[in-house]
Amino acid sequence: MQQNIEFERCIDFLVRMIDKYGAEVLRELEEKKQNKEEKEAAVS
């Protein structure tokens, strides 16, 4: 029972963090991907 409560608290926390920061993290990952592709194109 205690493990289930702790697991649910963890999931609630993760959901809040994804809701709060998810879009920002995706934007940063996309920017890094674009920068990497631009650098590779410049080298070629």
Side-chain angles (χ1 to χ4, degrees):
M1 182 70 176
Q2 181 65 26
Q3 287 178 334
N4 200 20
I5 292 169
E6 291 172 4
F7 178 75
E8 287 184 21
R9 286 180 60 205
C10 179
I11 295 302
D12 288 343
F13 171 78
L14 291 173
V15 168
R16 286 194 313 270
M17 292 301 102
I18 291 169
D19 284 345
K20 187 172 184 178
Y21 298 110
E24 180 180 345
V25 170
L26 289 175
R27 260 194 315 278
E28 288 178 9
L29 290 173
E30 186 61 32
E31 287 175 9
K32 287 180 182 180
K33 180 180 175 184
Q34 287 177 353
N35 289 340
K36 181 180 177 186
E37 289 172 353
E38 289 172 0
K39 286 180 183 177
E40 289 175 352
V43 171
S44 298

